[in-house]
Amino acid sequence: MAGFYPAALALPAALLPAPALVAARDLLAHRTCLPRHDFGWYGPGVDLENEEVARLLRYLPATRQVRQTWQYNNLCYSTAGYLAEHLLVVEWAEAVQQRILDPLGMKSTVF
């Protein structure tokens, strides 16, 4: 995944408050301007797919400018997973299995 390109170029919908500025590496480095927002995805009865999480991000309030500070956010990792699914045309779990776990000889993991 090309880390410097805006994530919005690869995804069908504008996902973040500043989609033209947020690159794939920002999603993974927690520099997207979004704080945690954990209760939006975690809890009883909540079961969101990566695409659903990605589409909901644009509605969450930003607290900083892009790359201004580090703010931990699991939702951005889900969005990075959706970006990988979109670019690789394979589900995230399968991509992780084929590209990371199998080459390392890992037989089981939880992610």
Side-chain angles (χ1 to χ4, degrees), residues 5 17-21 28 37 41 54-55 58-59 62 64 71-72 76 82-85 88-89 93 98 104-105:
Y5 296 108
L21 300 176
L28 300 173
H37 296 294
W41 72 275
R55 292 187 186 286
R58 71 177 131 200
Y59 301 109
R64 300 282 192 269
Q71 292 180 287
Y72 187 82
C76 290
Y82 175 57
L83 176 60
E85 288 175 356
L88 299 172
V89 194
Q98 291 174 354
L104 291 173

mmCIF file with all atom_site columns, all heavy atoms in Angstrom, residues 5 17-21 28 37 41 54-55 58-59 62 64 71-72 76 82-85 88-89 93 98 104-105:
data_model
loop_
_atom_site.group_PDB
_atom_site.id
_atom_site.type_symbol
_atom_site.label_atom_id
_atom_site.label_alt_id
_atom_site.label_comp_id
_atom_site.label_asym_id
_atom_site.label_entity_id
_atom_site.label_seq_id
_atom_site.pdbx_PDB_ins_code
_atom_site.Cartn_x
_atom_site.Cartn_y
_atom_site.Cartn_z
_atom_site.occupancy
_atom_site.B_iso_or_equiv
_atom_site.pdbx_formal_charge
_atom_site.auth_seq_id
_atom_site.auth_comp_id
_atom_site.auth_asym_id
_atom_site.auth_atom_id
_atom_site.pdbx_PDB_model_num
ATOM 1   N N   . TYR A 1 5   ? 0.101   8.344   -0.492 1.00 0.00 ? 5   TYR A N   1
ATOM 2   C CA  . TYR A 1 5   ? -1.068  8.761   -1.256 1.00 0.00 ? 5   TYR A CA  1
ATOM 3   C C   . TYR A 1 5   ? -2.269  8.960   -0.351 1.00 0.00 ? 5   TYR A C   1
ATOM 4   O O   . TYR A 1 5   ? -2.481  8.187   0.570  1.00 0.00 ? 5   TYR A O   1
ATOM 5   C CB  . TYR A 1 5   ? -1.402  7.738   -2.343 1.00 0.00 ? 5   TYR A CB  1
ATOM 6   C CG  . TYR A 1 5   ? -0.322  7.625   -3.377 1.00 0.00 ? 5   TYR A CG  1
ATOM 7   C CD1 . TYR A 1 5   ? 0.493   6.510   -3.426 1.00 0.00 ? 5   TYR A CD1 1
ATOM 8   C CD2 . TYR A 1 5   ? -0.107  8.646   -4.292 1.00 0.00 ? 5   TYR A CD2 1
ATOM 9   C CE1 . TYR A 1 5   ? 1.503   6.417   -4.358 1.00 0.00 ? 5   TYR A CE1 1
ATOM 10  C CE2 . TYR A 1 5   ? 0.897   8.557   -5.226 1.00 0.00 ? 5   TYR A CE2 1
ATOM 11  C CZ  . TYR A 1 5   ? 1.697   7.443   -5.253 1.00 0.00 ? 5   TYR A CZ  1
ATOM 12  O OH  . TYR A 1 5   ? 2.695   7.349   -6.174 1.00 0.00 ? 5   TYR A OH  1
ATOM 13  N N   . PRO A 1 17  ? -12.496 13.875  8.147  1.00 0.00 ? 17  PRO A N   1
ATOM 14  C CA  . PRO A 1 17  ? -12.754 15.313  8.079  1.00 0.00 ? 17  PRO A CA  1
ATOM 15  C C   . PRO A 1 17  ? -11.892 16.026  7.034  1.00 0.00 ? 17  PRO A C   1
ATOM 16  O O   . PRO A 1 17  ? -12.311 17.015  6.468  1.00 0.00 ? 17  PRO A O   1
ATOM 17  C CB  . PRO A 1 17  ? -12.410 15.781  9.490  1.00 0.00 ? 17  PRO A CB  1
ATOM 18  C CG  . PRO A 1 17  ? -12.630 14.597  10.341 1.00 0.00 ? 17  PRO A CG  1
ATOM 19  C CD  . PRO A 1 17  ? -12.235 13.415  9.491  1.00 0.00 ? 17  PRO A CD  1
ATOM 20  N N   . ALA A 1 18  ? -10.689 15.534  6.773  1.00 0.00 ? 18  ALA A N   1
ATOM 21  C CA  . ALA A 1 18  ? -9.815  16.124  5.760  1.00 0.00 ? 18  ALA A CA  1
ATOM 22  C C   . ALA A 1 18  ? -9.326  15.017  4.831  1.00 0.00 ? 18  ALA A C   1
ATOM 23  O O   . ALA A 1 18  ? -8.157  14.672  4.818  1.00 0.00 ? 18  ALA A O   1
ATOM 24  C CB  . ALA A 1 18  ? -8.637  16.826  6.426  1.00 0.00 ? 18  ALA A CB  1
ATOM 25  N N   . PRO A 1 19  ? -10.215 14.425  4.017  1.00 0.00 ? 19  PRO A N   1
ATOM 26  C CA  . PRO A 1 19  ? -9.849  13.230  3.248  1.00 0.00 ? 19  PRO A CA  1
ATOM 27  C C   . PRO A 1 19  ? -8.712  13.437  2.261  1.00 0.00 ? 19  PRO A C   1
ATOM 28  O O   . PRO A 1 19  ? -7.965  12.515  1.983  1.00 0.00 ? 19  PRO A O   1
ATOM 29  C CB  . PRO A 1 19  ? -11.144 12.861  2.530  1.00 0.00 ? 19  PRO A CB  1
ATOM 30  C CG  . PRO A 1 19  ? -11.947 14.104  2.513  1.00 0.00 ? 19  PRO A CG  1
ATOM 31  C CD  . PRO A 1 19  ? -11.576 14.862  3.756  1.00 0.00 ? 19  PRO A CD  1
ATOM 32  N N   . ALA A 1 20  ? -8.552  14.635  1.729  1.00 0.00 ? 20  ALA A N   1
ATOM 33  C CA  . ALA A 1 20  ? -7.486  14.861  0.758  1.00 0.00 ? 20  ALA A CA  1
ATOM 34  C C   . ALA A 1 20  ? -6.119  14.870  1.429  1.00 0.00 ? 20  ALA A C   1
ATOM 35  O O   . ALA A 1 20  ? -5.105  14.692  0.772  1.00 0.00 ? 20  ALA A O   1
ATOM 36  C CB  . ALA A 1 20  ? -7.714  16.171  0.019  1.00 0.00 ? 20  ALA A CB  1
ATOM 37  N N   . LEU A 1 21  ? -6.077  15.063  2.734  1.00 0.00 ? 21  LEU A N   1
ATOM 38  C CA  . LEU A 1 21  ? -4.806  15.152  3.447  1.00 0.00 ? 21  LEU A CA  1
ATOM 39  C C   . LEU A 1 21  ? -4.379  13.854  4.115  1.00 0.00 ? 21  LEU A C   1
ATOM 40  O O   . LEU A 1 21  ? -3.207  13.645  4.373  1.00 0.00 ? 21  LEU A O   1
ATOM 41  C CB  . LEU A 1 21  ? -4.900  16.234  4.539  1.00 0.00 ? 21  LEU A CB  1
ATOM 42  C CG  . LEU A 1 21  ? -5.199  17.643  4.063  1.00 0.00 ? 21  LEU A CG  1
ATOM 43  C CD1 . LEU A 1 21  ? -5.355  18.570  5.264  1.00 0.00 ? 21  LEU A CD1 1
ATOM 44  C CD2 . LEU A 1 21  ? -4.108  18.144  3.134  1.00 0.00 ? 21  LEU A CD2 1
ATOM 45  N N   . LEU A 1 28  ? -2.412  4.387   9.993  1.00 0.00 ? 28  LEU A N   1
ATOM 46  C CA  . LEU A 1 28  ? -1.669  3.419   10.787 1.00 0.00 ? 28  LEU A CA  1
ATOM 47  C C   . LEU A 1 28  ? -0.784  4.064   11.847 1.00 0.00 ? 28  LEU A C   1
ATOM 48  O O   . LEU A 1 28  ? -0.407  3.419   12.816 1.00 0.00 ? 28  LEU A O   1
ATOM 49  C CB  . LEU A 1 28  ? -0.826  2.537   9.869  1.00 0.00 ? 28  LEU A CB  1
ATOM 50  C CG  . LEU A 1 28  ? -1.630  1.735   8.848  1.00 0.00 ? 28  LEU A CG  1
ATOM 51  C CD1 . LEU A 1 28  ? -0.707  1.035   7.873  1.00 0.00 ? 28  LEU A CD1 1
ATOM 52  C CD2 . LEU A 1 28  ? -2.543  0.742   9.542  1.00 0.00 ? 28  LEU A CD2 1
ATOM 53  N N   . HIS A 1 37  ? -12.764 7.551   20.091 1.00 0.00 ? 37  HIS A N   1
ATOM 54  C CA  . HIS A 1 37  ? -14.162 7.260   19.740 1.00 0.00 ? 37  HIS A CA  1
ATOM 55  C C   . HIS A 1 37  ? -14.485 5.773   19.890 1.00 0.00 ? 37  HIS A C   1
ATOM 56  O O   . HIS A 1 37  ? -15.198 5.189   19.078 1.00 0.00 ? 37  HIS A O   1
ATOM 57  C CB  . HIS A 1 37  ? -14.483 7.714   18.311 1.00 0.00 ? 37  HIS A CB  1
ATOM 58  C CG  . HIS A 1 37  ? -14.391 9.178   18.104 1.00 0.00 ? 37  HIS A CG  1
ATOM 59  N ND1 . HIS A 1 37  ? -15.246 10.068  18.704 1.00 0.00 ? 37  HIS A ND1 1
ATOM 60  C CD2 . HIS A 1 37  ? -13.541 9.931   17.363 1.00 0.00 ? 37  HIS A CD2 1
ATOM 61  C CE1 . HIS A 1 37  ? -14.940 11.307  18.338 1.00 0.00 ? 37  HIS A CE1 1
ATOM 62  N NE2 . HIS A 1 37  ? -13.903 11.245  17.533 1.00 0.00 ? 37  HIS A NE2 1
ATOM 63  N N   . TRP A 1 41  ? -17.605 1.688   18.217 1.00 0.00 ? 41  TRP A N   1
ATOM 64  C CA  . TRP A 1 41  ? -17.382 0.380   17.587 1.00 0.00 ? 41  TRP A CA  1
ATOM 65  C C   . TRP A 1 41  ? -17.282 -0.764  18.579 1.00 0.00 ? 41  TRP A C   1
ATOM 66  O O   . TRP A 1 41  ? -17.306 -1.932  18.196 1.00 0.00 ? 41  TRP A O   1
ATOM 67  C CB  . TRP A 1 41  ? -16.115 0.399   16.740 1.00 0.00 ? 41  TRP A CB  1
ATOM 68  C CG  . TRP A 1 41  ? -14.855 0.441   17.560 1.00 0.00 ? 41  TRP A CG  1
ATOM 69  C CD1 . TRP A 1 41  ? -14.251 1.548   18.073 1.00 0.00 ? 41  TRP A CD1 1
ATOM 70  C CD2 . TRP A 1 41  ? -14.052 -0.664  17.980 1.00 0.00 ? 41  TRP A CD2 1
ATOM 71  N NE1 . TRP A 1 41  ? -13.132 1.194   18.785 1.00 0.00 ? 41  TRP A NE1 1
ATOM 72  C CE2 . TRP A 1 41  ? -12.980 -0.158  18.740 1.00 0.00 ? 41  TRP A CE2 1
ATOM 73  C CE3 . TRP A 1 41  ? -14.136 -2.041  17.779 1.00 0.00 ? 41  TRP A CE3 1
ATOM 74  C CZ2 . TRP A 1 41  ? -12.010 -0.968  19.301 1.00 0.00 ? 41  TRP A CZ2 1
ATOM 75  C CZ3 . TRP A 1 41  ? -13.159 -2.851  18.352 1.00 0.00 ? 41  TRP A CZ3 1
ATOM 76  C CH2 . TRP A 1 41  ? -12.102 -2.307  19.087 1.00 0.00 ? 41  TRP A CH2 1
ATOM 77  N N   . ALA A 1 54  ? -15.343 2.633   8.151  1.00 0.00 ? 54  ALA A N   1
ATOM 78  C CA  . ALA A 1 54  ? -14.761 3.650   7.278  1.00 0.00 ? 54  ALA A CA  1
ATOM 79  C C   . ALA A 1 54  ? -15.786 4.706   6.872  1.00 0.00 ? 54  ALA A C   1
ATOM 80  O O   . ALA A 1 54  ? -15.488 5.896   6.853  1.00 0.00 ? 54  ALA A O   1
ATOM 81  C CB  . ALA A 1 54  ? -14.160 2.988   6.033  1.00 0.00 ? 54  ALA A CB  1
ATOM 82  N N   . ARG A 1 55  ? -16.982 4.289   6.581  1.00 0.00 ? 55  ARG A N   1
ATOM 83  C CA  . ARG A 1 55  ? -18.017 5.237   6.162  1.00 0.00 ? 55  ARG A CA  1
ATOM 84  C C   . ARG A 1 55  ? -18.518 6.110   7.316  1.00 0.00 ? 55  ARG A C   1
ATOM 85  O O   . ARG A 1 55  ? -19.023 7.206   7.090  1.00 0.00 ? 55  ARG A O   1
ATOM 86  C CB  . ARG A 1 55  ? -19.162 4.505   5.499  1.00 0.00 ? 55  ARG A CB  1
ATOM 87  C CG  . ARG A 1 55  ? -18.758 3.892   4.174  1.00 0.00 ? 55  ARG A CG  1
ATOM 88  C CD  . ARG A 1 55  ? -19.926 3.313   3.417  1.00 0.00 ? 55  ARG A CD  1
ATOM 89  N NE  . ARG A 1 55  ? -19.466 2.634   2.231  1.00 0.00 ? 55  ARG A NE  1
ATOM 90  C CZ  . ARG A 1 55  ? -19.030 3.226   1.129  1.00 0.00 ? 55  ARG A CZ  1
ATOM 91  N NH1 . ARG A 1 55  ? -19.001 4.529   1.058  1.00 0.00 ? 55  ARG A NH1 1
ATOM 92  N NH2 . ARG A 1 55  ? -18.630 2.517   0.094  1.00 0.00 ? 55  ARG A NH2 1
ATOM 93  N N   . ARG A 1 58  ? -16.250 9.913   8.916  1.00 0.00 ? 58  ARG A N   1
ATOM 94  C CA  . ARG A 1 58  ? -16.421 11.324  8.537  1.00 0.00 ? 58  ARG A CA  1
ATOM 95  C C   . ARG A 1 58  ? -17.376 12.067  9.465  1.00 0.00 ? 58  ARG A C   1
ATOM 96  O O   . ARG A 1 58  ? -17.375 13.285  9.496  1.00 0.00 ? 58  ARG A O   1
ATOM 97  C CB  . ARG A 1 58  ? -16.873 11.439  7.097  1.00 0.00 ? 58  ARG A CB  1
ATOM 98  C CG  . ARG A 1 58  ? -18.298 10.986  6.884  1.00 0.00 ? 58  ARG A CG  1
ATOM 99  C CD  . ARG A 1 58  ? -18.731 11.188  5.458  1.00 0.00 ? 58  ARG A CD  1
ATOM 100 N NE  . ARG A 1 58  ? -19.324 9.941   5.016  1.00 0.00 ? 58  ARG A NE  1
ATOM 101 C CZ  . ARG A 1 58  ? -19.478 9.602   3.782  1.00 0.00 ? 58  ARG A CZ  1
ATOM 102 N NH1 . ARG A 1 58  ? -19.091 10.401  2.835  1.00 0.00 ? 58  ARG A NH1 1
ATOM 103 N NH2 . ARG A 1 58  ? -20.030 8.460   3.464  1.00 0.00 ? 58  ARG A NH2 1
ATOM 104 N N   . TYR A 1 59  ? -18.173 11.338  10.224 1.00 0.00 ? 59  TYR A N   1
ATOM 105 C CA  . TYR A 1 59  ? -19.128 11.973  11.126 1.00 0.00 ? 59  TYR A CA  1
ATOM 106 C C   . TYR A 1 59  ? -18.578 12.196  12.531 1.00 0.00 ? 59  TYR A C   1
ATOM 107 O O   . TYR A 1 59  ? -19.236 12.820  13.360 1.00 0.00 ? 59  TYR A O   1
ATOM 108 C CB  . TYR A 1 59  ? -20.407 11.134  11.206 1.00 0.00 ? 59  TYR A CB  1
ATOM 109 C CG  . TYR A 1 59  ? -21.044 10.960  9.856  1.00 0.00 ? 59  TYR A CG  1
ATOM 110 C CD1 . TYR A 1 59  ? -21.029 9.724   9.220  1.00 0.00 ? 59  TYR A CD1 1
ATOM 111 C CD2 . TYR A 1 59  ? -21.651 12.034  9.201  1.00 0.00 ? 59  TYR A CD2 1
ATOM 112 C CE1 . TYR A 1 59  ? -21.604 9.559   7.969  1.00 0.00 ? 59  TYR A CE1 1
ATOM 113 C CE2 . TYR A 1 59  ? -22.223 11.879  7.950  1.00 0.00 ? 59  TYR A CE2 1
ATOM 114 C CZ  . TYR A 1 59  ? -22.191 10.634  7.341  1.00 0.00 ? 59  TYR A CZ  1
ATOM 115 O OH  . TYR A 1 59  ? -22.755 10.481  6.102  1.00 0.00 ? 59  TYR A OH  1
ATOM 116 N N   . ALA A 1 62  ? -13.233 15.820  14.842 1.00 0.00 ? 62  ALA A N   1
ATOM 117 C CA  . ALA A 1 62  ? -11.776 15.883  14.915 1.00 0.00 ? 62  ALA A CA  1
ATOM 118 C C   . ALA A 1 62  ? -11.392 16.819  16.057 1.00 0.00 ? 62  ALA A C   1
ATOM 119 O O   . ALA A 1 62  ? -12.113 17.758  16.360 1.00 0.00 ? 62  ALA A O   1
ATOM 120 C CB  . ALA A 1 62  ? -11.207 16.398  13.599 1.00 0.00 ? 62  ALA A CB  1
ATOM 121 N N   . ARG A 1 64  ? -7.863  17.779  16.343 1.00 0.00 ? 64  ARG A N   1
ATOM 122 C CA  . ARG A 1 64  ? -6.603  18.391  15.922 1.00 0.00 ? 64  ARG A CA  1
ATOM 123 C C   . ARG A 1 64  ? -6.584  18.472  14.397 1.00 0.00 ? 64  ARG A C   1
ATOM 124 O O   . ARG A 1 64  ? -7.467  17.986  13.723 1.00 0.00 ? 64  ARG A O   1
ATOM 125 C CB  . ARG A 1 64  ? -5.401  17.548  16.373 1.00 0.00 ? 64  ARG A CB  1
ATOM 126 C CG  . ARG A 1 64  ? -5.269  17.342  17.854 1.00 0.00 ? 64  ARG A CG  1
ATOM 127 C CD  . ARG A 1 64  ? -4.697  18.588  18.497 1.00 0.00 ? 64  ARG A CD  1
ATOM 128 N NE  . ARG A 1 64  ? -4.282  18.345  19.860 1.00 0.00 ? 64  ARG A NE  1
ATOM 129 C CZ  . ARG A 1 64  ? -5.067  18.507  20.911 1.00 0.00 ? 64  ARG A CZ  1
ATOM 130 N NH1 . ARG A 1 64  ? -6.316  18.864  20.759 1.00 0.00 ? 64  ARG A NH1 1
ATOM 131 N NH2 . ARG A 1 64  ? -4.604  18.299  22.118 1.00 0.00 ? 64  ARG A NH2 1
ATOM 132 N N   . GLN A 1 71  ? -2.799  10.523  18.133 1.00 0.00 ? 71  GLN A N   1
ATOM 133 C CA  . GLN A 1 71  ? -4.012  10.212  18.873 1.00 0.00 ? 71  GLN A CA  1
ATOM 134 C C   . GLN A 1 71  ? -4.419  8.783   18.540 1.00 0.00 ? 71  GLN A C   1
ATOM 135 O O   . GLN A 1 71  ? -4.809  8.497   17.410 1.00 0.00 ? 71  GLN A O   1
ATOM 136 C CB  . GLN A 1 71  ? -5.156  11.159  18.497 1.00 0.00 ? 71  GLN A CB  1
ATOM 137 C CG  . GLN A 1 71  ? -4.935  12.586  18.932 1.00 0.00 ? 71  GLN A CG  1
ATOM 138 C CD  . GLN A 1 71  ? -6.095  13.465  18.527 1.00 0.00 ? 71  GLN A CD  1
ATOM 139 O OE1 . GLN A 1 71  ? -6.250  13.773  17.354 1.00 0.00 ? 71  GLN A OE1 1
ATOM 140 N NE2 . GLN A 1 71  ? -6.907  13.848  19.494 1.00 0.00 ? 71  GLN A NE2 1
ATOM 141 N N   . TYR A 1 72  ? -4.347  7.911   19.531 1.00 0.00 ? 72  TYR A N   1
ATOM 142 C CA  . TYR A 1 72  ? -4.652  6.501   19.304 1.00 0.00 ? 72  TYR A CA  1
ATOM 143 C C   . TYR A 1 72  ? -6.089  6.337   18.827 1.00 0.00 ? 72  TYR A C   1
ATOM 144 O O   . TYR A 1 72  ? -7.010  6.940   19.367 1.00 0.00 ? 72  TYR A O   1
ATOM 145 C CB  . TYR A 1 72  ? -4.436  5.698   20.588 1.00 0.00 ? 72  TYR A CB  1
ATOM 146 C CG  . TYR A 1 72  ? -4.573  4.228   20.368 1.00 0.00 ? 72  TYR A CG  1
ATOM 147 C CD1 . TYR A 1 72  ? -3.505  3.497   19.872 1.00 0.00 ? 72  TYR A CD1 1
ATOM 148 C CD2 . TYR A 1 72  ? -5.772  3.580   20.607 1.00 0.00 ? 72  TYR A CD2 1
ATOM 149 C CE1 . TYR A 1 72  ? -3.631  2.136   19.647 1.00 0.00 ? 72  TYR A CE1 1
ATOM 150 C CE2 . TYR A 1 72  ? -5.899  2.219   20.387 1.00 0.00 ? 72  TYR A CE2 1
ATOM 151 C CZ  . TYR A 1 72  ? -4.827  1.510   19.906 1.00 0.00 ? 72  TYR A CZ  1
ATOM 152 O OH  . TYR A 1 72  ? -4.953  0.168   19.671 1.00 0.00 ? 72  TYR A OH  1
ATOM 153 N N   . CYS A 1 76  ? -9.303  3.835   12.882 1.00 0.00 ? 76  CYS A N   1
ATOM 154 C CA  . CYS A 1 76  ? -8.458  4.096   11.707 1.00 0.00 ? 76  CYS A CA  1
ATOM 155 C C   . CYS A 1 76  ? -7.759  2.827   11.241 1.00 0.00 ? 76  CYS A C   1
ATOM 156 O O   . CYS A 1 76  ? -7.502  2.665   10.052 1.00 0.00 ? 76  CYS A O   1
ATOM 157 C CB  . CYS A 1 76  ? -7.476  5.213   12.011 1.00 0.00 ? 76  CYS A CB  1
ATOM 158 S SG  . CYS A 1 76  ? -8.301  6.810   12.145 1.00 0.00 ? 76  CYS A SG  1
ATOM 159 N N   . TYR A 1 82  ? -9.952  -1.790  5.558  1.00 0.00 ? 82  TYR A N   1
ATOM 160 C CA  . TYR A 1 82  ? -10.874 -1.625  4.433  1.00 0.00 ? 82  TYR A CA  1
ATOM 161 C C   . TYR A 1 82  ? -10.128 -1.110  3.204  1.00 0.00 ? 82  TYR A C   1
ATOM 162 O O   . TYR A 1 82  ? -10.372 -1.564  2.087  1.00 0.00 ? 82  TYR A O   1
ATOM 163 C CB  . TYR A 1 82  ? -12.004 -0.679  4.829  1.00 0.00 ? 82  TYR A CB  1
ATOM 164 C CG  . TYR A 1 82  ? -12.940 -0.352  3.693  1.00 0.00 ? 82  TYR A CG  1
ATOM 165 C CD1 . TYR A 1 82  ? -13.601 -1.357  3.001  1.00 0.00 ? 82  TYR A CD1 1
ATOM 166 C CD2 . TYR A 1 82  ? -13.155 0.962   3.310  1.00 0.00 ? 82  TYR A CD2 1
ATOM 167 C CE1 . TYR A 1 82  ? -14.454 -1.059  1.950  1.00 0.00 ? 82  TYR A CE1 1
ATOM 168 C CE2 . TYR A 1 82  ? -14.017 1.265   2.264  1.00 0.00 ? 82  TYR A CE2 1
ATOM 169 C CZ  . TYR A 1 82  ? -14.665 0.257   1.595  1.00 0.00 ? 82  TYR A CZ  1
ATOM 170 O OH  . TYR A 1 82  ? -15.501 0.549   0.555  1.00 0.00 ? 82  TYR A OH  1
ATOM 171 N N   . LEU A 1 83  ? -9.199  -0.198  3.392  1.00 0.00 ? 83  LEU A N   1
ATOM 172 C CA  . LEU A 1 83  ? -8.387  0.305   2.283  1.00 0.00 ? 83  LEU A CA  1
ATOM 173 C C   . LEU A 1 83  ? -7.612  -0.846  1.646  1.00 0.00 ? 83  LEU A C   1
ATOM 174 O O   . LEU A 1 83  ? -7.583  -0.983  0.420  1.00 0.00 ? 83  LEU A O   1
ATOM 175 C CB  . LEU A 1 83  ? -7.438  1.383   2.782  1.00 0.00 ? 83  LEU A CB  1
ATOM 176 C CG  . LEU A 1 83  ? -6.454  1.959   1.783  1.00 0.00 ? 83  LEU A CG  1
ATOM 177 C CD1 . LEU A 1 83  ? -7.169  2.613   0.613  1.00 0.00 ? 83  LEU A CD1 1
ATOM 178 C CD2 . LEU A 1 83  ? -5.533  2.963   2.470  1.00 0.00 ? 83  LEU A CD2 1
ATOM 179 N N   . ALA A 1 84  ? -7.015  -1.701  2.472  1.00 0.00 ? 84  ALA A N   1
ATOM 180 C CA  . ALA A 1 84  ? -6.280  -2.862  1.948  1.00 0.00 ? 84  ALA A CA  1
ATOM 181 C C   . ALA A 1 84  ? -7.218  -3.799  1.195  1.00 0.00 ? 84  ALA A C   1
ATOM 182 O O   . ALA A 1 84  ? -6.875  -4.294  0.114  1.00 0.00 ? 84  ALA A O   1
ATOM 183 C CB  . ALA A 1 84  ? -5.581  -3.601  3.086  1.00 0.00 ? 84  ALA A CB  1
ATOM 184 N N   . GLU A 1 85  ? -8.410  -4.044  1.743  1.00 0.00 ? 85  GLU A N   1
ATOM 185 C CA  . GLU A 1 85  ? -9.390  -4.892  1.052  1.00 0.00 ? 85  GLU A CA  1
ATOM 186 C C   . GLU A 1 85  ? -9.721  -4.318  -0.316 1.00 0.00 ? 85  GLU A C   1
ATOM 187 O O   . GLU A 1 85  ? -9.809  -5.048  -1.312 1.00 0.00 ? 85  GLU A O   1
ATOM 188 C CB  . GLU A 1 85  ? -10.676 -4.987  1.873  1.00 0.00 ? 85  GLU A CB  1
ATOM 189 C CG  . GLU A 1 85  ? -10.582 -5.801  3.119  1.00 0.00 ? 85  GLU A CG  1
ATOM 190 C CD  . GLU A 1 85  ? -11.854 -5.760  3.954  1.00 0.00 ? 85  GLU A CD  1
ATOM 191 O OE1 . GLU A 1 85  ? -12.806 -5.017  3.601  1.00 0.00 ? 85  GLU A OE1 1
ATOM 192 O OE2 . GLU A 1 85  ? -11.907 -6.464  4.964  1.00 0.00 ? 85  GLU A OE2 1
ATOM 193 N N   . LEU A 1 88  ? -6.500  -4.600  -2.627 1.00 0.00 ? 88  LEU A N   1
ATOM 194 C CA  . LEU A 1 88  ? -6.060  -5.966  -2.916 1.00 0.00 ? 88  LEU A CA  1
ATOM 195 C C   . LEU A 1 88  ? -7.171  -6.856  -3.456 1.00 0.00 ? 88  LEU A C   1
ATOM 196 O O   . LEU A 1 88  ? -6.909  -7.968  -3.905 1.00 0.00 ? 88  LEU A O   1
ATOM 197 C CB  . LEU A 1 88  ? -5.481  -6.602  -1.646 1.00 0.00 ? 88  LEU A CB  1
ATOM 198 C CG  . LEU A 1 88  ? -4.268  -5.905  -1.040 1.00 0.00 ? 88  LEU A CG  1
ATOM 199 C CD1 . LEU A 1 88  ? -3.928  -6.518  0.310  1.00 0.00 ? 88  LEU A CD1 1
ATOM 200 C CD2 . LEU A 1 88  ? -3.085  -5.963  -1.994 1.00 0.00 ? 88  LEU A CD2 1
ATOM 201 N N   . VAL A 1 89  ? -8.411  -6.383  -3.394 1.00 0.00 ? 89  VAL A N   1
ATOM 202 C CA  . VAL A 1 89  ? -9.593  -7.121  -3.826 1.00 0.00 ? 89  VAL A CA  1
ATOM 203 C C   . VAL A 1 89  ? -9.648  -8.489  -3.135 1.00 0.00 ? 89  VAL A C   1
ATOM 204 O O   . VAL A 1 89  ? -9.870  -9.520  -3.751 1.00 0.00 ? 89  VAL A O   1
ATOM 205 C CB  . VAL A 1 89  ? -9.659  -7.254  -5.362 1.00 0.00 ? 89  VAL A CB  1
ATOM 206 C CG1 . VAL A 1 89  ? -11.046 -7.702  -5.801 1.00 0.00 ? 89  VAL A CG1 1
ATOM 207 C CG2 . VAL A 1 89  ? -9.298  -5.954  -6.051 1.00 0.00 ? 89  VAL A CG2 1
ATOM 208 N N   . ALA A 1 93  ? -8.858  -10.225 6.504  1.00 0.00 ? 93  ALA A N   1
ATOM 209 C CA  . ALA A 1 93  ? -8.358  -11.414 7.198  1.00 0.00 ? 93  ALA A CA  1
ATOM 210 C C   . ALA A 1 93  ? -7.580  -12.324 6.246  1.00 0.00 ? 93  ALA A C   1
ATOM 211 O O   . ALA A 1 93  ? -6.538  -12.872 6.612  1.00 0.00 ? 93  ALA A O   1
ATOM 212 C CB  . ALA A 1 93  ? -9.510  -12.176 7.846  1.00 0.00 ? 93  ALA A CB  1
ATOM 213 N N   . GLN A 1 98  ? -2.468  -14.491 4.057  1.00 0.00 ? 98  GLN A N   1
ATOM 214 C CA  . GLN A 1 98  ? -1.608  -14.773 2.907  1.00 0.00 ? 98  GLN A CA  1
ATOM 215 C C   . GLN A 1 98  ? -0.289  -13.994 2.939  1.00 0.00 ? 98  GLN A C   1
ATOM 216 O O   . GLN A 1 98  ? 0.754   -14.539 2.580  1.00 0.00 ? 98  GLN A O   1
ATOM 217 C CB  . GLN A 1 98  ? -2.333  -14.423 1.606  1.00 0.00 ? 98  GLN A CB  1
ATOM 218 C CG  . GLN A 1 98  ? -3.479  -15.317 1.274  1.00 0.00 ? 98  GLN A CG  1
ATOM 219 C CD  . GLN A 1 98  ? -4.236  -14.833 0.048  1.00 0.00 ? 98  GLN A CD  1
ATOM 220 O OE1 . GLN A 1 98  ? -3.972  -13.769 -0.508 1.00 0.00 ? 98  GLN A OE1 1
ATOM 221 N NE2 . GLN A 1 98  ? -5.207  -15.630 -0.386 1.00 0.00 ? 98  GLN A NE2 1
ATOM 222 N N   . LEU A 1 104 ? 5.304   -16.255 7.680  1.00 0.00 ? 104 LEU A N   1
ATOM 223 C CA  . LEU A 1 104 ? 5.989   -16.385 8.970  1.00 0.00 ? 104 LEU A CA  1
ATOM 224 C C   . LEU A 1 104 ? 5.809   -17.768 9.586  1.00 0.00 ? 104 LEU A C   1
ATOM 225 O O   . LEU A 1 104 ? 6.387   -18.068 10.630 1.00 0.00 ? 104 LEU A O   1
ATOM 226 C CB  . LEU A 1 104 ? 5.466   -15.323 9.941  1.00 0.00 ? 104 LEU A CB  1
ATOM 227 C CG  . LEU A 1 104 ? 5.849   -13.887 9.618  1.00 0.00 ? 104 LEU A CG  1
ATOM 228 C CD1 . LEU A 1 104 ? 5.127   -12.925 10.554 1.00 0.00 ? 104 LEU A CD1 1
ATOM 229 C CD2 . LEU A 1 104 ? 7.360   -13.693 9.692  1.00 0.00 ? 104 LEU A CD2 1
ATOM 230 N N   . GLY A 1 105 ? 4.979   -18.602 8.944  1.00 0.00 ? 105 GLY A N   1
ATOM 231 C CA  . GLY A 1 105 ? 4.727   -19.942 9.474  1.00 0.00 ? 105 GLY A CA  1
ATOM 232 C C   . GLY A 1 105 ? 3.826   -19.944 10.697 1.00 0.00 ? 105 GLY A C   1
ATOM 233 O O   . GLY A 1 105 ? 3.822   -20.899 11.461 1.00 0.00 ? 105 GLY A O   1
#
